Amino acid sequence: MMSCTSHCSLPLIHPLQSHAISHLQSLPPIGRSPFQSISHHQLGGNSGGLFGCQFGLRRAAIGVRVFPQLGRMWMRRFPTLGPVCSSRNRGKPRGPLWRGRSLSNESLRAVQDLKMAKGDEERLGQIFRVKISRLLKADLLAVLGELQRQDECELAVRVFDLVRKEIWYKPDVILYADMIATLGRNHLIEEVETLFNASKEEGLQSHSRLYTEVVGAYFQSGMPLKAMEVYENLKMSGCSPIELTYTILIKGLERNGLFDLAAAIRKESMQALSAQEIPVSG
């Protein structure tokens, strides 16, 4: 009688695994790419041309994932292909991050509906009444942020005005700064001034970040003298310029050929920032 030891020492091979190994071993020698010498029939394709070859490789990849032993044989047979990747999006650009990470389904549909209704004031008003005004706080702010990201300035301003009317709203520097920055990079300087004045009326006039965004907006609109005027108003208001303020000033002045003024601002920034970093003892 045959001992159990001899049976236990033999590796167990699934029928499908045995078939797949035999299939790979029967393939002819290849060059740098399996597409050069393997027909779609050998790879298991059911139609001619490149489609059949790709279909067969897909089936082979599935076999490698199911039976890890096939992976080593795959690498020996196709060394230039590298390891088999199971990602469905391999070689394709990643989708927009905001769709799955920042926007809920309700917010996503709201953004799409607003963009489709542009130019139709009646339909746009209906969307604001029926959908936008009923969004939760997080969804409404996500819609605002996405419209700003896409530079949909007109829609973003209307959503921003709606946010300011919500019962949970409190004056917020970041909300205003992001909205001003969006308008500034689209050269809507009159809207920037209007929003900046509105922030002052809400008690946010003593924040350097808002002045900094307005300075940047004037530079982006080709108005360096107005930018310097806002900078002087910043210092007169009792605010301390932040590092971003100096960075925008220096780059904006140099871009407009005002190198002497840029050098003076750089010297001023080094003195101001070094003074702010002095540790307080005791």
Side-chain angles (χ1 to χ4, degrees):
M1 184 173 64
M2 186 177 295
S3 64
C4 179
T5 306
S6 62
H7 285 286
C8 294
S9 62
L10 293 176
L12 297 178
I13 301 179
H14 192 278
L16 179 58
Q17 184 179 9
S18 177
H19 173 74
I21 292 175
S22 301
H23 184 63
L24 282 176
Q25 290 175 336
S26 66
L27 295 178
I30 61 174
R32 290 178 296 177
S33 169
F35 296 102
Q36 295 177 356
S37 56
I38 302 177
S39 69
H40 68 281
H41 297 292
Q42 290 173 310
L43 285 170
N46 57 1
S47 63
L50 182 60
F51 172 78
C53 192
Q54 292 175 334
F55 181 74
L57 285 176
R58 191 177 300 115
R59 290 180 59 184
I62 293 174
V64 171
R65 293 199 302 272
V66 175
F67 304 108
Q69 182 180 348
L70 296 179
R72 293 186 293 273
M73 183 171 296
W74 177 274
M75 289 300 297
R76 288 195 298 269
R77 174 65 63 172
F78 307 131
T80 59
L81 287 181
V84 176
C85 178
S86 61
S87 172
R88 297 191 320 179
N89 294 325
R90 181 166 59 111
K92 298 179 181 179
R94 173 178 289 183
L97 297 179
W98 56 267
R99 181 171 185 175
R101 300 187 181 184
S102 299
L103 292 186
S104 64
N105 291 333
E106 292 77 9
S107 301
L108 177 60
R109 286 194 294 267
V111 171
Q112 293 172 341
D113 290 343
L114 287 173
K115 293 177 65 176
M116 291 179 63
K118 281 198 310 181
D120 188 341
E121 189 61 32
E122 182 178 354
R123 184 183 176 191
L124 200 56
Q126 182 180 5
I127 292 174
F128 268 94
R129 290 191 303 271
V130 175
K131 292 187 177 182
I132 308 302
S133 62
R134 297 182 181 181
L135 290 175
L136 298 176
K137 175 182 178 180
D139 291 333
L140 185 58
L141 293 177
V143 169
L144 175 61
E146 181 57 24
L147 292 174
Q148 291 172 342
R149 189 188 72 83
Q150 297 186 25
D151 287 332
E152 294 286 350
C153 296
E154 182 181 353
L155 295 175
V157 168
R158 294 187 64 162
V159 174
F160 183 79
D161 290 338
L162 180 62
V163 167
R164 294 168 60 196
K165 297 176 183 177
E166 293 291 328
I167 190 172
W168 44 260
Y169 171 76
K170 294 181 180 180
D172 186 88
V173 174
I174 301 301
L175 280 178
Y176 268 100
D178 290 344
M179 192 70 250
I180 291 175
T182 300
L183 297 173
R185 67 173 174 263
N186 287 276
H187 312 293
L188 300 175
I189 198 63
E190 293 184 3
E191 287 79 357
V192 167
E193 294 172 345
T194 300
L195 209 59
F196 184 52
N197 292 331
S199 70
K200 292 181 178 180
E201 295 175 359
E202 294 190 9
L204 300 177
Q205 67 272 13
S206 59
H207 289 272
S208 301
R209 173 68 187 278
L210 295 180
Y211 282 98
T212 300
E213 295 297 347
V214 175
V215 168
Y218 277 121
F219 275 124
Q220 289 175 324
S221 296
M223 305 170 68
L225 297 183
K226 290 290 293 184
M228 288 302 300
E229 182 180 331
V230 174
Y231 172 64
E232 294 298 330
N233 291 337
L234 183 158
K235 295 189 292 184
M236 292 175 59
S237 68
C239 297
S240 298
I242 57 179
E243 185 175 358
L244 179 61
T245 310
Y246 292 118
T247 300
I248 292 176
L249 274 171
I250 294 170
K251 290 184 177 180
L253 291 171
E254 290 178 344
R255 193 177 300 116
N256 285 272
L258 302 173
F259 298 104
D260 292 340
L261 188 54
I265 295 296
R266 180 178 285 106
K267 182 178 179 180
E268 179 182 336
S269 68
M270 295 176 62
Q271 295 174 350
L273 294 177
S274 61
Q276 294 175 10
E277 294 175 357
I278 296 177
V280 179
S281 60

